[in-house]
Amino acid sequence: MNISKYLGLALVGACTLTACNKGGRSATNPGKYSSTTGIEYNTDEGMKVSDYQGIPEGPGLVFIEGGRTVLGSAEEDVAMSHDNLERTVTLASFYMDEVEVANIHWLEYLHYVRKDSAEEFYMSALPDTTVWARELSFNDPYVDYYLRYPGFRYFPVVGVSWLQANDFCTWRTAKVNEVLAGEASDDGGGSRRGGLFGRKKNKGGDAAEGTSEDGGGVKIAIENGNTLPNYRLPTEAEWEYAAQALIGTQETGNENQENKRIYPWDGRQVRNPYGKNQGQFLANFKRGRGDYAGIAGSLNDGAMITEQVFSYPPNDYGLYNMAGNVNEWVQDIYRPLSYEDVEDLNPFRRNGYLDPSEKYDKKGYQSLIDDHVRVYKGGSWRDVAYWLSPGTRRFMAEDSATATIGFRCAMINAGSNK
């Protein structure tokens, strides 16, 4: 062992550390030498430390600054469920899609799935367009046209189950990171050779050439820092916090949160009280029995069914349709008492912990609750204004779908404690 070599490196490292401390070592400026061993990084001897300039910008995402808030329903509990009482929590900052996932986004997903994954998975990824069919209503054209007709491109995708939404998040993560890592394939589509969801078969029934037993695809190292964390469904707490957007009511330098909102906007009304758009509805919802849009010549919310995802004013985080248009899936499993069970930092209800499903008599038809029902929030084109309040919550089986539920993705703010 060359002692003088290591002593020399240690001295250089100490000097470098002193210099770096003056400038401030950080994730983006780790220094040339280790402050633990004095060994130079990115050499044959030293550890590889990639250049890092912060988390890459994720397509479609908006930054949501976290903090302390009061979650829970601000509306009268007309259902008498008492399942979301007010409590103080803190949420870390995160990212969320600016808009709901639209038909064009889902069609892109289907394009790549059909191109590089098993046909069985492609069939399972198709939305259930029959959710539009009603025995006593002529919604038949939507069954055929809503998903694929170009005029509906930027309408929110519906007929998608919670399980399908999670698969979309998995695909989106892989596809975005292939592009960011600069390792897209030469065919211009960046397709994974083995398929993300099972190997694509050739005409003879064998695995396509170039596939591997583990599905192939690009290998991405987290340590490189040039890729994004996983796209995923937001937690219920994240979704509710983002919908409230109380940052728009906060006074600079005042740490007290003195205002609360019934809806994702100020006031108790659902119409715009100001300016040239005064009197216009602020969300797409059912105004009353049989009234989805207003009268001809003076349509107000203007949407008999869903509306384009960039319609209506965004909330103070810049998020569109956090009330109305479609309800949105969140990660959490449903339990009535989640508000008192979960932690007060980044609260989340997951499977298999506390309040077991055996307590709920689903087999005896006394309950609808088990470990496969998920929360959805936000209200839809078919819901009355009560469900537009961020604190309201409902649930449905994770493998079910309707014409009133869609989703949007979220992502951790990696590399930050805020």
Side-chain angles (χ1 to χ4, degrees), residues 80-196:
M80 300 296 289
S81 58
H82 305 296
D83 65 350
N84 201 22
L85 302 187
E86 293 185 324
R87 71 279 185 197
T88 300
V89 302
T90 295
L91 284 98
S93 299
F94 58 99
Y95 294 89
M96 182 176 276
D97 273 340
E98 182 181 23
V99 295
E100 297 146 339
V101 173
N103 286 325
I104 192 170
H105 305 137
W106 198 270
L107 290 173
E108 182 184 18
Y109 169 50
L110 293 177
H111 166 77
Y112 285 111
V113 166
R114 185 162 220 174
K115 189 175 182 180
D116 61 20
S117 294
E119 185 69 15
E120 293 81 2
F121 184 82
Y122 171 78
M123 297 303 295
S124 73
L126 293 171
D128 180 7
T129 59
T130 64
V131 294
W132 290 107
R134 308 284 292 181
E135 289 81 356
L136 298 176
S137 180
F138 187 65
N139 290 337
D140 305 41
Y142 299 130
V143 174
D144 297 323
Y145 288 94
Y146 182 82
L147 175 64
R148 298 183 183 276
Y149 188 72
F152 288 119
R153 279 175 178 163
Y154 278 94
F155 283 61
V157 67
V158 297
V160 172
S161 71
W162 183 92
L163 296 172
Q164 288 175 308
N166 274 273
D167 286 337
F168 176 91
C169 294
T170 300
W171 165 82
R172 187 178 179 186
T173 301
K175 187 59 63 179
V176 170
N177 280 338
E178 283 180 10
V179 174
L180 289 176
E183 296 179 5
S185 66
D186 294 335
D187 61 10
S191 63
R192 299 171 66 92
R193 290 297 185 186
L196 183 60

Side-chain angles (χ1 to χ4, degrees), residues 265 280-285 292 300-315 319-321 323-325:
W265 52 80
Q280 294 296 305
F281 279 106
L282 295 166
N284 176 18
F285 66 103
Y292 290 84
N300 200 312
D301 75 22
M304 285 71 169
I305 55 166
T306 55
E307 181 57 284
Q308 296 195 60
V309 293
F310 284 101
S311 300
Y312 309 98
N315 71 7
L319 304 173
Y320 289 82
N321 290 296
N325 213 23

Side-chain angles (χ1 to χ4, degrees), residues 15-35:
C15 295
T16 305
L17 177 59
T18 303
C20 282
N21 278 337
K22 290 179 181 179
R25 287 203 183 198
S26 66
T28 57
N29 181 28
K32 188 176 180 180
Y33 295 88
S34 166
S35 57

